[in-house]
């Protein structure tokens, strides 16, 4: 199994940047694809970004393309989400998720096996 802990959230202003981290306590982090999701109050969980186990393939929701970058350093058992040009509509709890099995990058919550508890990102105008 793999355990995930997010960090790096906070309160910022419109246009600022944040870097979220997803630290794994597992021993086989490199075997899992990683995704970032977010959930705002009163809204359903939304896919944000995903990265393959090798880090060679990535995918983003249209609303964050050009602003967010997902990455990973397997030797450090850590994945990242670099967020720039943040907007108030980015405000949400951001959750890191991991899945085994390989295949195409997944965008649905049901495709992921392990989840962190999330970190709050608040963007004020």
């Amino acid at each position: 199994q793999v355990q995930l802990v997010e960090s790096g959230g906070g309160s910022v202003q419109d246009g600022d940047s944040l870097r979220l981290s997803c630290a794994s306590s597992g021993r086989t982090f490199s075997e899992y694809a990683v995704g970032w999701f977010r959930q705002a109050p009163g809204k359903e969980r939304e896919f944000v970004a995903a990265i393959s186990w090798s880090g060679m393939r990535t995918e983003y929701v249209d609303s964050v393309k050009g602003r967010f970058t997902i990455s990973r350093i397997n030797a450090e058992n850590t994945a990242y989400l670099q967020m720039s040009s943040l907007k108030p509509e980015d405000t949400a709890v951001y959750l890191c998720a991991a899945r085994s099995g390989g295949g195409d990058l997944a965008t649905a919550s049901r495709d992921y096996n392990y989840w962190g508890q999330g970190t709050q990102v608040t963007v004020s105008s």
Side-chain angles (χ1 to χ4, degrees):
Q1 296 186 11
V2 58
Q3 294 179 318
L4 308 173
V5 179
E6 303 93 337
S7 62
S11 298
V12 299
Q13 293 189 340
D14 191 357
D16 286 351
S17 298
L18 280 175
R19 187 195 193 197
L20 305 183
S21 297
C22 175
S24 172
S25 62
R27 301 177 181 86
T28 57
F29 180 74
S30 63
E31 298 178 5
Y32 296 85
V34 173
W36 283 96
F37 293 76
R38 64 188 180 187
Q39 188 164 18
K43 294 186 177 181
E44 295 183 355
R45 186 173 297 174
E46 176 189 28
F47 168 78
V48 177
I51 188 168
S52 64
W53 68 268
S54 66
M56 298 181 68
R57 292 180 290 128
T58 59
E59 186 171 339
Y60 302 89
V61 66
D62 287 344
S63 61
V64 308
K65 288 181 179 178
R67 299 189 298 119
F68 291 10
T69 301
I70 188 171
S71 63
R72 66 191 298 166
I73 302 178
N74 288 338
E76 299 178 357
N77 292 331
T78 305
Y80 303 93
L81 185 68
Q82 177 67 49
M83 305 181 294
S84 61
S85 301
L86 283 164
K87 306 174 181 179
E89 51 262 44
D90 295 318
T91 295
V93 173
Y94 283 71
L95 303 102
C96 178
R99 73 181 189 95
S100 60
D104 294 337
L105 294 177
T107 61
S109 297
R110 64 178 180 272
D111 293 324
Y112 289 83
N113 308 107
Y114 307 101
W115 293 83
Q117 291 191 332
T119 184
Q120 177 71 46
V121 173
T122 302
V123 185
S124 301
S125 60

